Amino acid sequence: MPNRQRRAALAITMGAFLGLAGALAAGPVLAQAAPRTDLVVGMRLEPPHLDPTAGAAAAIDEVTYANLFEPLTRIDAEGKVVPGLAEKWEVSADGLTYTFHLRKGAKFHDGTDADSADVKFSLDRARGAESVNAQKGYFAAIAGVEAPDARTVVITLSRPDGLFLFHMASGDAAIVAPESAGTNKQTPVGTGPFKFERWVAGDRVVLVRNPDYDGPKPALERVTFRFISDPAAQVAALKAGDIDSFPQFDTYEALPQFRDDGAFTVMVGTTEGETILGTNNARKPFDDVRVRRAMAHAIDRKTLIDGVLFGNGAAIGSHFPPHRAGYVDLTGLYPYDPDKAKALLAEAGLPDGFETTLRLPPPIYARRSGELIAAMLAEVGIRVTIEPMEWAPWLEKVFKGKDYDLTLIAHTEPLDIDIYGRPDYYFNYRSERFNAVGAELDRTQDSTKRNALYGEQQRILAEDAVNGFLFMLPSATVQKSAVQGMWVNRPIQANDVTGVRWK
């Protein structure tokens, strides 16, 4: 081959090589530019099942709320009531009739239409005699549910309920179909933008995007909820890149190392989680208000917040979150005063104190708080035996069976001060005065008047020292810096991923 031809051939070969190299180089750049469509979310606790209408465990809603199941209304990231399965509604002037108009084209994940008959079934089931709904009280005011046509639901109340739209936005009010209601615990079928793919017990639940969803499609195609209870393992999983976002991250001592790492974002917001030293008011000696007040004086909440939450969180003096309108600061009612606690115990006929048992569920905040509180109570003569429990036995024995002296738990349901008016609730608290204010609250629509009534209820609970009111559980989220759309605050117990995307 002449030199000229060899040079031409070489030029062509080099050009082809450079073109190929350029294409190879461009490939990864283009791949990196395309946002991911999968997400791995870390959770501390595995749900006992996946039916939000049949259980009290917050982990159920953390997987299913807004993702799999939709109520008539729903709560958004700001804590406001917005449309859910119902696109709009009207309320009668007397506050007794609610007319909901359902979204056209809404379907369950099995392809069947989601219509007014399903709403009637869901609400009648939730309020029926055989209901196992953890928040059956949310439906107590309903006198009747009618379905005049496929897209219209008319709900009549027996009395005004100022929180009715709010309660209808809860996971407990999720709309289910009669055909699948009986199997939702293991294979949930809802109307949400994601549908259930599989559950690997002890490890993860996987959801995939619902291609037939009638509303805006989420950016994510697949979401995996992974269950990691061990604090060290949570940190390791984030550092290794196995977890993309970890809401409710409660290894608070690890937050500084993630804040200092540009690969991560740390968000700390508010929750509805009033953390309490739950007290069996019907069991001696806790049926004596002087004993309950003594315990309140024996607990140093600042030390608790510093030691357990590493300074993240706010002290409370009653069962109400500081960030909500209507909050009354009652943290000064029982200042830390061991001498006052001892005097109250002596006045109650217990100068040498007494022995008791503290049953603790698995969350880290509960286990750590329990150890500190036991030490504080010991200083005033209350000798505490700690009994750690797994989640299912705690729900069965403590929450349902009311078989306990003391426990420690965060109540994460929003605006749930009404639980103190339930005669069968596990605190075993009875107060005609509290119930009278609650009845007035149910009849009141005006927000200013409602907030004043909330204040009255808070004072009653604080004066009665029903429980040891400790702190608000903070909402800490650690995630990869490219993740966008996870909630900062936690107005409801949910990991709503419907608006999450990658940069």
Side-chain angles (χ1 to χ4, degrees), residues 60-131:
I60 302 171
D61 279 356
E62 287 172 359
V63 171
T64 65
Y65 186 83
N67 302 322
L68 282 172
F69 290 103
E70 297 177 298
L72 284 171
T73 58
R74 61 182 288 258
I75 304 298
D76 69 5
E78 305 303 318
K80 298 176 182 176
V81 176
V82 297
L85 189 60
E87 61 184 4
K88 60 181 179 178
W89 55 85
E90 297 95 35
V91 184
S92 62
D94 61 6
L96 294 176
T97 303
Y98 289 73
T99 303
F100 293 93
H101 305 278
L102 308 185
R103 297 197 314 261
K104 184 178 181 181
K107 293 181 179 295
F108 287 99
H109 298 149
D110 59 7
T112 59
D113 291 337
D115 58 23
S116 59
D118 297 303
V119 176
K120 177 174 172 55
F121 165 78
S122 300
L123 299 182
D124 286 346
R125 175 174 175 257
R127 67 194 183 97
E130 303 300 318
S131 173

Side-chain angles (χ1 to χ4, degrees), residues 378-393:
E379 291 181 3
V380 301
I382 302 175
R383 298 171 294 282
V384 178
T385 298
I386 292 178
E387 184 180 329
M389 303 183 75
E390 291 307 308
W391 193 245

Side-chain angles (χ1 to χ4, degrees), residues 436-458:
V437 177
E440 181 65 23
L441 192 56
D442 287 339
R443 294 190 294 267
T444 302
Q445 300 286 332
D446 180 79
S447 60
T448 301
K449 293 178 180 178
R450 287 183 61 82
N451 288 335
L453 292 168
Y454 278 135
E456 283 190 52
Q457 286 190 319
Q458 292 169 64

Side-chain angles (χ1 to χ4, degrees), residues 75-332:
I75 304 298
D76 69 5
E78 305 303 318
K80 298 176 182 176
V81 176
V82 297
L85 189 60
E87 61 184 4
K88 60 181 179 178
W89 55 85
E90 297 95 35
V91 184
S92 62
D94 61 6
L96 294 176
T97 303
Y98 289 73
T99 303
F100 293 93
H101 305 278
L102 308 185
R103 297 197 314 261
K104 184 178 181 181
K107 293 181 179 295
F108 287 99
H109 298 149
D110 59 7
T112 59
D113 291 337
D115 58 23
S116 59
D118 297 303
V119 176
K120 177 174 172 55
F121 165 78
S122 300
L123 299 182
D124 286 346
R125 175 174 175 257
R127 67 194 183 97
E130 303 300 318
S131 173
V132 294
N133 197 292
Q135 300 295 343
K136 194 174 179 180
Y138 288 179
F139 312 92
I142 297 177
V145 183
E146 298 177 5
D149 61 60
R151 291 185 59 204
T152 306
V153 179
V154 180
I155 302 175
T156 304
L157 305 186
S158 59
R159 55 172 171 76
D161 181 353
L163 282 177
F164 185 68
L165 289 173
F166 195 87
H167 287 159
M168 290 304 99
S170 69
D172 307 273
I175 304 305
V176 299
E179 297 86 355
S180 51
T183 55
N184 276 337
K185 286 187 175 182
Q186 297 301 321
T187 53
V189 175
T191 61
F194 292 94
K195 60 182 182 178
F196 175 78
E197 183 179 82
R198 61 176 171 153
W199 183 358
V200 180
D203 183 51
R204 65 192 183 276
V205 167
V206 181
L207 311 182
V208 292
R209 187 163 63 191
N210 174 16
D212 301 318
Y213 186 60
D214 61 296
K217 301 295 190 294
L220 300 174
E221 294 180 357
R222 176 180 298 268
V223 181
T224 301
F225 293 93
R226 282 198 54 202
F227 314 120
I228 307 175
S229 59
D230 180 71
Q234 293 173 4
V235 173
L238 280 163
K239 288 285 189 180
D242 298 333
I243 299 294
D244 300 318
S245 180
F246 209 122
Q248 290 294 88
F249 183 80
D250 56 7
T251 309
Y252 301 105
E253 63 271 31
L255 292 181
Q257 66 177 285
F258 288 109
R259 286 193 177 103
D260 293 338
D261 188 335
F264 295 94
T265 298
V266 175
M267 306 185 297
V268 178
T270 60
T271 76
E272 298 293 317
E274 297 93 352
T275 307
I276 61 170
L277 179 64
T279 307
N280 191 338
N281 283 239
R283 184 171 290 184
K284 291 185 179 301
F286 308 109
D287 58 344
D288 189 326
V289 68
R290 294 169 295 186
V291 173
R292 301 195 301 270
R293 289 172 178 168
M295 291 194 300
H297 281 296
I299 297 172
D300 183 348
R301 281 170 293 195
K302 184 181 186 306
T303 296
L304 204 60
I305 291 171
D306 289 342
V308 175
L309 307 178
F310 286 77
N312 298 282
I316 54 173
S318 190
H319 199 104
F320 211 82
H323 59 268
R324 282 199 175 273
Y327 171 75
V328 178
D329 187 355
L330 298 167
T331 53

Side-chain angles (χ1 to χ4, degrees), residues 379-453:
E379 291 181 3
V380 301
I382 302 175
R383 298 171 294 282
V384 178
T385 298
I386 292 178
E387 184 180 329
M389 303 183 75
E390 291 307 308
W391 193 245
W394 185 91
L395 286 169
E396 189 64 32
K397 184 170 284 190
V398 176
F399 185 74
K400 293 180 181 178
K402 294 176 276 191
D403 180 12
Y404 76 105
D405 296 337
L406 300 171
T407 189
L408 200 149
I409 192 69
H411 278 257
T412 56
E413 296 84 0
L415 289 174
D416 61 350
I417 196 169
D418 65 303
I419 59 180
Y420 290 83
R422 301 180 191 177
D424 59 345
Y425 209 65
Y426 77 107
F427 307 145
N428 282 317
Y429 173 64
R430 307 284 190 277
S431 171
E432 293 183 7
R433 182 183 169 205
F434 181 89
N435 291 344
V437 177
E440 181 65 23
L441 192 56
D442 287 339
R443 294 190 294 267
T444 302
Q445 300 286 332
D446 180 79
S447 60
T448 301
K449 293 178 180 178
R450 287 183 61 82
N451 288 335
L453 292 168

